[in-house]
Amino acid sequence: MGTTIKATPEIFGHAENNFFNASSGWKSWAFTLDHKRIGIMYLIGVTTALFLAGVFALVLRSHLWIANSEMLTPAMYNQMFTLHGAVMVFAFIIPSIPAALGNMVLPMMLGAKDVAFPRLNLMSFYLWVIGTGCLLYAILAGYGLDTGWTFYTPYSIETESGVIYATAGAFVLGFSSIFTGINFLVTVNTMRLPGQGWFKLPLFIWSLYATAIIQILATPVLGITLLLLISERLMSIGIFDPRYGGDPVLFQHFFWFYSHPAVYIMILPAMGVISELIAVYSQKRIFGYSFIAFSSVAIALLGFLVWGHHLFTSGQSLVVTLIFSAITFSVAIPSAVKVFNWLATMYKGSILLATPMCYALSFIFLFGIGGLTGLFLGALSTDIHLHDTYFVVAHFHFVMVGGTLTALLGGLFHWWPKMFGRMYNDMLGRVGCFLVFTGFNLTFFPQFVMGSRGMPRRYATYDPEYQIFHQWSTIGAFLLGIGILLAFAVLVYAAFKGPKVGGNPFKAASLEWQSSSPPDFHNFLHKPVMTDPYDFDAMVYDEDLDTYIHREFADPAKVPPRVEPIHH
Amino acid sequence: MMPQIPMLLAQIDEKVRELTSANAHDTPVPDEAMVHEGSYWFPRVASSYASDVDFLFMAIFWISAVFFAIIVGVMIYFCIRYRRIGGKIEPQPSASHNTTIEILWSVLPSILLVWIFYVGAVGFFEMRISPEDAEDIQVTARKWNWSFTYPDGDISSELHLVRDKPARLVMRSDDVLHSMYIPAFRQKMDVVPGRYTYAFLMPILDGKFRLACTEYCGEEHSKMRTMCQVHISEKDRKENTQWITADHKPWENGERLYKINCSGCHKVDGTPATGPALNTIWGEPENLIGKAPRLVDHNYVRESILYPDRDIVEGYGPVSKMNSFQGKISDKDIDYLITYMQYLKTGEVVELKDENATDAAAPPAEEPAQAPAEAGTGENN
C-alpha cells in the first residue's frame, strides 16, 4: 500500500495545533465531546479524589502511631476510615484507569475519531462529579459516614450518619461507570480500523473490554442493593433488617455480587496497561498474546462466581463455602498466566528501564505479593484465622494500590508525552517510582505480620504488642505520600515546561502513536496504517522529526530492511 | 538483627506502655494475654486445630516464597541481561508464543492449588463441626459487650473454658453484626442478629487469651475485647464463674451484671464514654436535655435501664444511643446494679433484705417488681 502522505511535524511530530488549542473558553471544556478533553477532566477529577482520600489515610496512620491514641475520637476514626475507603474505591480506583487513561487512549488505539457515544461520555463525567459531590456532601454537611465503605447492615440502617447521601452518591457513580462501560464496549465493537481484527487489538483494549462487561453486568446489582438499603432506612421494608424479618447476610451477598467483580474492574485495566508497557519497553512482541487476552475474559467471567469468599465467617452453609473456595482458586490461574507471559516477553528483549518500565516491574513485584497472599485467604482454614484482620487490609492494598495505582502511574508516564507533547524528567520520574515502591512496601508489609498475629481491622485503639508494626506502617505511608506527590509534580511540570517531543518517542507500535503529540482535535490528520500493535519493527526512526514513524510514511531511501518477518 | 530505628521505636513503645497502663481498665484483657508469646507469624497454639492452620499457612508461605523468588529473580536477571545498551534498540529474535509452555505453566501450579484447597477444606471442617459431647455455651453479643452463659446457668463477661473439653458457642447478637475471634485458637465466627451461629472451640492449653470483635460494629468496636480463660479443670472454672449467690455481696453481683451488660458504654473511673460514668452519679443531680435536672435515685436508674429514651443526660444526645433492657434484665438484677452504684459512690455496702437471695442455686430472680428495702418513695412503676 503506497501512500502519498509526507511526514510533517503537524502529522507525526510535535503539533502546535492540537486538541488543547482547537477551541478555547471554559465552555469549550465544560461542553466538550472530545474524548481527550473528557479524559483529562476525568484525570483531574480522580487525582483530586486520590489526594483527598490519601490525606484521610495519612490522618488514620498518624492516629495509629500509638496504641491508645487520642488524636481522633473513636467516632472520628470510624468516619475517617469509611471516607478513605469510600472515596478511594468509588471515586478514584474504579474510574481511574478506564475513565481517565481509557478515554484518552482507547479511541486512538482503534484509529477512531472518538468514542461511539461522545455525549454519553460527557454525561458519564458529570455523573462522576455529582456522585462524588454526594459522597463528599455527607461530610461537609456534618452528617459524616461511619459504616465502612461496605455499608453492612444492620449497622448502616441504625447509624445516624449520612448513609443516604453516601449511598445515593455511590448509586450515581455506578451509572457513571455503566455509561463508560457501554461506550467502550460499543466503540470496540463498531469503530475499529478496517483490517483491525480482534487479535490485532492492543491488550489494553482487551482488558478494557473485559472490564466493560463487568461494569455493565455487575454495577446494576450495586444500584439495586443501595436502593434497597435506602428503602430499608426510610421505610423499613424488612429485607435486610432482622427486626422486620429481614436478613443482614443477604445484604452481604448482594453487595459482594457487585463488589467482588468490581475488584476486577479495578485490576483488569491495570493488567492491560502493564501488558503495553512491558512490550514497548522491551521492544518485544508480547508473549502468548491470546493467552493474555483470554485470561482477561476468564478473570472477568470467573470474577462473577466468587463473591461468597467474602462471607466465609458469616454463617453461610459449609457446602456453599466449600464451593466458593474452590472457584476462588480457579481465578488464580489466569492471573498467574499473565505474570508468566510478561516475564517471557522480557526474555531476549531490549529492556529500557525508563520510568514507565520501572512502574511495570514494580507492578509485577507488588501484584505478585498481592496475588500470592490471596492464596492464604482463599484457603478455608487459614481464612478463618485471617478474615477481617490486617492481613486482609494488606492483601487488598497490595492488589489495589500496588497494582492499580502503580499501573495508573506507569500508564500516565507512558502516555503523558502523547497527551501533552512534552517529555518528563526521567530521572526524577524513577526517583518517584522508587519512593512509591519503598514507601508502599514499608506501609503494608508489616500489616501482614500484624494481621496474622491477630490484629483486627477497623480498630481505633489496639493492644501495645502491635505498636511497632503500626509505626513502621505509618512511616511508610508518609514516604508513599511523598513519592506520589513527587510523581505528580514531575508530570505536571512536564506538561507545561517539559522539552517538546514528537509523536512516538518510545518506538511504540499501537495506533495512537501514529498521530502528532499532542494529537489533533480529530486525532489523526491522515488515515493510520493498520499495523500489529506489537510489531515494533514496523516503526522506523525519522531524523527530521526526531521520532519514530511507520515505514509507510518514511523516505523509502532511508528505511532499513525488516528484521522481523511480518506476523499474522 | 534489628537495625537501629526499630530499637528506638521499641523504646518509645515502652514509654507508651507505661503511659497507657493507667488506662488498663479500658479493656478487661489482662496484660499477660496481650504480650506476644507465639512464633513470628502467630500467637500461641491454644486449640486442637490451630497447629493445622499454622501448618497450611506456612506451607502456602513457602510455596509463595519460592514462586515469588523465581518471578522476581527472573525479572531482575532479564533486566540486567537484556538491558538496552547504547543505541541498539532492536531485540534479539525469539518466539512470540509457545503453546506447550503456556499449558505447562497453567496446569502445574493448578496441582498445587488443588492441594492447598483440599488441606484448607479439611481444616475448615475440623474447625466448624462440633463433636456430639461438646458443651453448649450461649453467647450474646451487643454493643459493646460479650456475655457467656454456661450450661449450669452461670453467666460471665469473659469466656471461661476447660482445657481439653470441647465447647460449642451458640451465638446471637442483640443489635448489629459482631464477630467472635480468638487469635490463639485461630477461630472466628460472625455473630448475626436474627439468627444463631455456632463456633467450635477445643482448648488444649490453659491460660488467658484475647477474644476480640472483628466485625465493625460502631463507635467502640475496638473496645469490644475481652478475655478467654482456659482452666485446668471444671472445678477451677466453677470457682471463677460462680454467679449470683447469697455468698456474694450484692454489690459484687451488681459488678458482674455491670461487666456483662453495661461496661461497653459506661465507665466506672469517672471518664465519659458513649454514656455517663456510673461511679460518681449516685445521689447527684443530672442535667437532662429539655427537662429539669433530676436526682439519680432508684427510680431514675430503673427507668434509665428499661426506658432509656425518657431522660437523656446533656452531652449524650440528641437521642439515646442505648437500647432498652426490658425483658433482658430482671428487677432483681436492677436492685443489684443499684447497690453497685451506691458502693462505687460511697464505698458503703448495702445489704439487700430478700429471702430469695439465700437460695444459692436460684437463677437470677424473676419475681414481680418490688422495691428494695431502702428504695425511695417514688410512686411510678
Side-chain angles (χ1 to χ4, degrees):
Chain A
M1 183 179 80
T3 175
T4 52
I5 292 171
K6 194 173 177 310
T8 64
E10 277 304 302
I11 302 178
F12 297 118
H14 179 88
E16 296 304 332
N17 293 320
N18 52 54
F19 76 96
F20 283 107
N21 54 26
S23 54
S24 62
W26 68 271
K27 282 183 186 170
S28 77
W29 281 85
F31 301 116
T32 184
L33 299 179
D34 181 1
H35 69 98
K36 300 181 289 298
R37 286 192 172 190
I38 293 172
I40 285 178
M41 292 196 293
Y42 248 123
L43 180 62
I44 294 169
V46 297
T47 311
T48 312
L50 168 69
F51 278 99
L52 198 61
V55 169
F56 294 148
L58 292 181
V59 172
L60 289 173
R61 290 285 0 140
S62 306
H63 170 85
L64 292 170
W65 179 259
I66 57 169
N68 280 309
S69 175
E70 289 180 353
M71 184 183 134
L72 301 173
T73 63
M76 282 166 70
Y77 177 85
N78 295 342
Q79 297 207 357
M80 207 56 90
F81 78 66
T82 302
L83 292 168
H84 166 71
V87 173
M88 277 292 190
V89 170
F90 293 117
F92 169 65
I93 308 181
I94 289 178
S96 63
I97 295 183
L101 273 181
N103 247 319
M104 188 74 207
V105 173
L106 177 129
M108 296 187 70
M109 280 183 155
L110 305 173
K113 170 86 228 30
D114 208 315
V115 290
F117 307 119
R119 285 179 182 81
L120 195 66
N121 202 16
L122 185 65
M123 186 167 177
S124 162
F125 172 70
Y126 280 114
L127 286 180
W128 181 89
V129 173
I130 294 169
T132 307
C134 276
L135 209 55
L136 295 178
Y137 181 76
I139 323 169
L140 298 176
Y143 296 99
L145 179 69
D146 67 346
T147 57
W149 78 277
T150 48
F151 304 115
Y152 268 16
T153 54
Y155 187 76
S156 57
I157 300 168
E158 286 183 23
T159 176
E160 286 147 33
S161 63
V163 174
I164 291 179
Y165 295 105
T167 46
F171 181 80
V172 174
L173 284 169
F175 272 95
S176 164
S177 179
I178 293 171
F179 286 178
T180 302
I182 291 176
N183 227 332
F184 285 4
L185 202 76
V186 176
T187 307
V188 175
N189 270 311
T190 62
M191 298 180 72
R192 301 191 307 276
L193 198 67
Q196 191 177 36
W198 285 91
F199 293 95
K200 289 272 169 73
L201 289 173
L203 287 164
F204 185 40
I205 299 287
W206 272 91
S207 72
L208 285 175
Y209 193 86
T211 306
I213 294 173
I214 311 176
Q215 285 174 311
I216 293 167
L217 293 182
T219 318
V221 180
L222 176 75
I224 294 163
T225 311
L226 295 178
L227 280 186
L228 283 173
L229 176 59
I230 292 172
S231 312
E232 186 74 277
R233 269 183 79 94
L234 294 176
M235 296 179 279
S236 299
I237 56 173
I239 187 156
F240 300 134
D241 191 340
R243 285 175 299 181
Y244 306 104
D247 183 356
V249 179
L250 183 65
F251 177 85
Q252 299 177 28
H253 279 285
F254 281 1
F255 182 82
W256 288 110
F257 186 85
Y258 163 74
S259 292
H260 194 81
V263 170
Y264 299 109
I265 294 179
M266 302 174 206
I267 195 66
L268 275 175
M271 291 168 155
V273 169
I274 299 305
S275 298
E276 300 303 314
L277 301 187
I278 298 275
V280 171
Y281 294 93
S282 302
Q283 284 295 305
K284 271 282 303 291
R285 175 172 297 277
I286 195 93
F287 188 86
Y289 177 99
S290 53
F291 276 83
I292 297 186
F294 284 121
S295 68
S296 289
V297 180
I299 289 172
L301 298 180
L302 288 171
F304 276 99
L305 305 175
V306 299
W307 79 89
H309 69 216
H310 297 269
L311 287 85
F312 283 168
T313 66
S314 72
Q316 71 183 3
S317 88
L318 297 185
V319 177
V320 167
T321 303
L322 203 63
I323 294 168
F324 276 122
S325 171
I327 306 174
T328 298
F329 278 106
S330 69
V331 187
I333 298 296
S335 308
V337 163
K338 280 182 192 279
V339 173
F340 296 148
N341 278 296
W342 292 328
L343 289 179
T345 303
M346 289 166 65
Y347 175 64
K348 290 194 176 179
S350 169
I351 297 171
L352 180 68
L353 292 178
T355 310
M357 187 62 170
C358 291
Y359 278 110
L361 299 176
S362 157
F363 176 96
I364 293 178
F365 185 99
L366 300 175
F367 179 75
I369 294 179
L372 289 167
T373 50
L375 300 178
F376 296 80
L377 300 170
L380 286 172
S381 63
T382 40
D383 179 75
I384 300 305
H385 176 52
L386 301 170
H387 193 93
D388 271 333
T389 67
Y390 264 65
F391 194 95
V392 176
V393 177
H395 161 73
F396 71 72
H397 278 92
F398 263 89
V399 176
M400 289 177 193
V401 184
T404 309
L405 181 63
T406 302
L408 173 70
L409 287 169
L412 283 176
F413 275 95
H414 179 58
W415 280 295
W416 204 256
K418 171 54 59 192
M419 291 154 89
F420 293 94
R422 287 170 187 274
M423 195 63 189
Y424 49 83
N425 182 321
D426 197 37
M427 184 44 77
L428 280 177
R430 281 183 281 186
V431 170
C433 176
F434 177 78
L435 284 177
V436 169
F437 177 78
T438 315
F440 178 84
N441 279 301
L442 192 55
T443 311
F444 292 105
F445 205 84
Q447 298 188 1
F448 283 124
V449 186
M450 263 196 273
S452 184
R453 287 186 179 194
M455 167 86 206
R457 55 190 290 210
R458 296 176 167 177
Y459 263 32
T461 56
Y462 53 88
D463 295 339
E465 70 154 286
Y466 303 115
Q467 187 164 283
I468 187 81
F469 300 105
H470 276 292
Q471 290 177 342
W472 276 118
S473 191
T474 302
I475 295 170
F478 278 90
L479 203 59
L480 175 60
I482 293 168
I484 293 175
L485 271 182
L486 176 63
F488 276 98
V490 169
L491 288 175
V492 170
Y493 181 84
F496 293 98
K497 303 276 182 182
K500 291 176 181 176
V501 71
N504 185 7
F506 305 127
K507 202 186 178 193
S510 45
L511 294 179
E512 78 274 24
W513 299 99
Q514 288 188 29
S515 68
S516 60
S517 290
D520 185 75
F521 174 67
H522 297 286
N523 290 353
F524 300 98
L525 285 175
H526 67 102
K527 182 172 175 288
V529 177
M530 184 48 229
T531 183
D532 186 293
Y534 304 106
D535 180 14
F536 298 105
D537 197 34
M539 310 308 277
V540 291
Y541 186 66
D542 184 298
E543 283 170 8
D544 299 335
L545 297 174
D546 185 26
T547 194
Y548 291 88
I549 60 173
H550 195 272
R551 287 170 177 273
E552 293 275 342
F553 305 114
D555 183 351
K558 292 181 183 170
V559 174
R562 262 193 169 274
V563 179
E564 203 184 347
I566 299 163
H567 286 263
H568 295 286
Chain B
M1 189 177 83
M2 287 276 215
Q4 279 185 334
I5 294 174
M7 290 295 288
L8 188 70
L9 293 180
Q11 283 164 10
I12 299 172
D13 184 49
E14 273 308 308
K15 269 269 183 285
V16 169
R17 204 179 290 213
E18 279 169 33
L19 287 172
T20 53
S21 61
N23 284 330
H25 54 75
D26 271 352
T27 159
V29 184
D31 281 348
E32 59 186 283
M34 299 208 294
V35 175
H36 183 75
E37 286 180 351
S39 56
Y40 184 76
W41 287 100
F42 305 107
R44 282 188 292 178
V45 172
S47 70
S48 61
Y49 37 72
S51 52
D52 291 350
V53 174
D54 296 3
F55 166 76
L56 181 60
F57 183 101
M58 291 320 294
I60 302 173
F61 178 84
W62 287 112
I63 292 171
S64 303
V66 168
F67 270 87
F68 186 68
I70 293 173
I71 289 169
V72 174
V74 167
M75 187 174 92
I76 292 171
Y77 173 75
F78 285 176
C79 282
I80 297 167
R81 175 74 176 75
Y82 303 115
R83 70 190 182 281
R84 195 175 295 177
I85 302 166
K88 192 183 180 313
I89 194 167
E90 282 76 28
Q92 305 166 39
S94 68
S96 69
H97 61 272
N98 182 329
T99 309
T100 315
I101 200 171
E102 294 274 5
I103 290 171
L104 267 181
W105 71 34
S106 308
V107 173
L108 289 182
S110 310
I111 297 168
L112 283 173
L113 292 182
V114 170
W115 180 81
I116 293 171
F117 164 74
Y118 173 77
V119 177
V122 169
F124 175 70
F125 279 95
E126 193 190 344
M127 296 166 89
R128 279 288 185 258
I129 298 173
S130 317
E132 297 268 311
D133 61 339
E135 62 168 343
D136 273 2
I137 297 175
Q138 309 287 329
V139 181
T140 307
R142 70 171 71 96
K143 292 190 274 187
W144 292 278
N145 278 101
W146 298 96
S147 94
F148 302 93
T149 310
Y150 303 89
D152 58 5
D154 281 355
I155 306 179
S156 65
S157 59
E158 307 106 8
L159 176 59
H160 292 275
L161 299 170
V162 178
R163 196 179 65 198
D164 298 326
K165 178 170 180 169
R168 182 175 72 152
L169 303 186
V170 182
M171 306 189 288
R172 66 180 178 83
S173 165
D174 263 3
D175 38 47
V176 298
L177 293 170
H178 300 281
S179 189
M180 193 284 311
Y181 177 38
I182 307 175
F185 288 12
R186 319 284 187 266
Q187 181 63 289
K188 183 179 290 125
M189 192 66 188
D190 286 5
V191 188
V192 182
R195 65 161 76 165
Y196 289 96
T197 55
Y198 308 97
F200 166 54
L201 302 178
M202 180 67 205
I204 57 166
L205 184 69
D206 54 281
K208 293 174 179 175
F209 309 101
R210 281 172 296 165
L211 187 157
C213 175
T214 51
E215 185 63 67
Y216 173 68
C217 57
E219 194 171 334
E220 301 284 351
H221 169 52
S222 61
K223 295 284 168 60
M224 194 164 160
R225 286 178 286 181
T226 185
M227 172 184 80
C228 166
Q229 185 170 4
V230 179
H231 301 272
I232 49 170
S233 68
E234 189 72 60
K235 181 170 165 292
D236 187 27
R237 172 166 79 170
K238 190 73 196 161
E239 282 162 10
N240 275 276
T241 57
Q242 221 170 37
W243 181 223
I244 296 180
T245 69
D247 297 342
H248 289 128
K249 293 192 169 58
W251 72 265
E252 289 176 327
N253 288 337
E255 185 181 31
R256 277 178 178 265
L257 283 163
Y258 158 80
K259 280 186 182 168
I260 291 164
N261 295 294
C262 324
S263 63
C265 303
H266 297 278
K267 303 293 172 206
V268 288
D269 61 354
T271 56
T274 309
L278 298 182
N279 56 327
T280 53
I281 57 172
W282 179 261
E284 303 289 333
E286 283 278 43
N287 292 321
L288 303 178
I289 294 175
K291 287 186 180 178
R294 197 175 157 189
L295 222 56
V296 178
D297 60 7
H298 296 82
N299 279 309
Y300 178 83
V301 173
R302 183 171 188 280
E303 280 178 39
S304 297
I305 292 171
L306 300 180
Y307 313 102
D309 296 334
R310 278 193 192 166
D311 292 334
I312 297 152
V313 177
E314 274 185 5
Y316 299 94
V319 294
S320 174
K321 294 171 187 164
M322 181 168 159
N323 291 330
S324 168
F325 278 77
Q326 281 183 71
K328 296 173 188 168
I329 197 164
S330 70
D331 288 325
K332 188 79 205 163
D333 293 344
I334 296 175
D335 295 348
Y336 284 133
L337 282 166
I338 289 170
T339 60
Y340 179 53
M341 285 178 71
Q342 290 169 329
Y343 170 79
L344 286 171
K345 180 70 192 295
T346 61
E348 178 190 338
V349 179
V350 182
E351 295 295 339
L352 282 184
K353 303 272 188 297
D354 192 307
E355 62 279 11
N356 286 339
T358 55
D359 181 1
E366 301 221 24
E367 59 270 270
Q370 64 177 75
E374 61 281 72
T377 53
E379 71 284 0
N380 71 344
N381 48 9

